[in-house]
Amino acid sequence: MLKSSGDWRFDSEVVPIFDEHVRPSVPLYDEIHNMIKDMSYWFVEDDTNVYDIGTSTGETISNLSAIHSSKKIKYFGIDSSESMVQKARQRFEQNSSITITSQDVTDENFVLNNASYVTAVLSIMFIPQRQRQDLINKIYNSLNYGGAFVMIEKIVGSSARFDEMWIELYHDLKLKNGLSHQEVVAKSQSIRGILKPYTVDENINMLKQSGFTNIDTFFKWNNFAGFIAIKL
């Protein structure tokens, strides 16, 4: 069922088709996850915690826990969608090192600690802008020195001209990947007022304001970008 304007939710209708839907909708989705996994070797340490904010079905945690299986790591996947949490819990029910929780990361009671690696794949952009900086501050404070925060975001172009180009190319990609015109338009309408992206510079400035001084853009595809910020 197509959702109406501003009515997108990661609910029981979306969860069963999420993994099938995300790959044709997000450019280089598997390569992004490979980069997150490969970069983690520089940061994930014994006796620390790894957090994935907006974990959805647990793709990031699945990849990280597989390559760091010899280390003493606790993994925490956080998502506000109870349907997503249930799906991810089923995936990891045999792994005691992984905890999946349903939490609102903007709640003052949400805490992270002893973190060596924190990831947020296409999730910060759904946080209300008035609360976004507070969450990034909390992530920065939770990281051990030498730890890293990795953030993948849909972004706004640096000018109206670029933004129009990136959006049209993104829609072209979806159509090439088999989505219909109706599906592309319906998704765009359904996330109005829910997904609020920043420009590359605005994302970097947000990271700087939290205290990060070592920041780089490791991935960029038109209106998608990946950022890594190291606490030093």
Side-chain angles (χ1 to χ4, degrees):
M1 182 177 69
L2 298 176
K3 294 180 180 292
S4 59
S5 295
D7 195 33
W8 178 260
R9 296 287 185 276
F10 292 100
D11 55 19
S12 57
E13 293 180 13
V14 173
V15 171
I17 62 170
F18 177 79
D19 290 324
E20 173 187 339
H21 167 81
V22 71
R23 281 174 170 79
S25 299
V26 177
L28 300 172
Y29 183 77
D30 289 317
E31 185 57 33
I32 288 169
H33 277 285
N34 284 334
M35 287 188 281
I36 292 170
K37 179 177 63 176
D38 292 342
M39 289 187 300
S40 72
Y41 285 108
W42 275 263
F43 307 104
V44 174
E45 298 179 340
D46 271 320
D47 300 311
T48 64
N49 299 328
V50 170
Y51 293 88
D52 183 36
I53 295 173
T55 198
S56 61
T57 60
E59 182 80 11
T60 303
I61 283 182
S62 178
N63 291 336
L64 294 174
S65 62
I67 65 170
H68 296 292
S69 59
S70 63
K71 296 176 183 175
K72 298 176 183 177
I73 306 294
K74 291 183 179 179
Y75 298 89
F76 297 89
I78 302 102
D79 206 289
S80 61
S81 166
E82 186 60 43
S83 298
M84 281 291 191
V85 166
Q86 291 175 7
K87 179 83 170 178
R89 282 176 177 166
Q90 292 172 4
R91 184 175 191 168
F92 301 120
E93 58 186 359
Q94 302 300 321
N95 193 328
S96 60
S97 67
I98 298 173
T99 301
I100 307 295
T101 60
S102 176
Q103 285 183 279
D104 179 355
V105 295
T106 65
D107 191 290
E108 62 181 11
N109 294 320
F110 172 66
V111 296
L112 311 86
N113 62 80
N114 188 31
S116 58
Y117 205 50
V118 179
T119 59
V121 180
L122 302 173
S123 55
I124 301 299
M125 61 198 190
F126 289 104
I127 302 296
Q129 291 169 319
R130 68 184 185 279
Q131 297 170 304
R132 209 170 291 184
Q133 186 67 58
D134 288 342
L135 174 59
I136 302 302
N137 295 348
K138 189 175 291 187
I139 291 170
Y140 175 82
N141 291 331
S142 77
L143 280 167
N144 298 329
Y145 287 102
F149 172 46
V150 173
M151 178 174 71
I152 307 294
E153 289 283 281
K154 192 175 182 182
I155 59 167
V156 179
S158 59
S159 71
R161 185 182 299 253
F162 282 125
D163 199 48
E164 181 182 13
M165 287 172 58
W166 305 152
I167 289 172
E168 290 197 20
L169 286 169
Y170 179 43
H171 289 172
D172 288 348
L173 174 75
K174 286 185 170 185
L175 294 171
K176 288 176 186 176
N177 288 341
L179 298 177
S180 68
H181 282 279
Q182 184 184 21
E183 288 171 319
V184 172
V185 172
K187 177 61 182 297
S188 180
Q189 291 175 336
S190 71
I191 59 177
R192 288 176 180 171
I194 297 171
L195 191 161
K196 297 182 178 180
Y198 285 164
T199 65
V200 167
D201 287 345
E202 287 170 339
N203 277 296
I204 290 174
N205 286 337
M206 179 175 63
L207 292 167
K208 287 180 177 179
Q209 286 181 37
S210 71
F212 288 109
T213 56
N214 281 254
I215 303 164
D216 210 346
T217 304
F218 69 90
F219 168 81
K220 175 76 165 63
W221 184 96
N222 299 341
N223 59 337
F224 286 82
F227 308 91
I228 182 167
I230 304 171
K231 184 174 182 177
L232 293 173

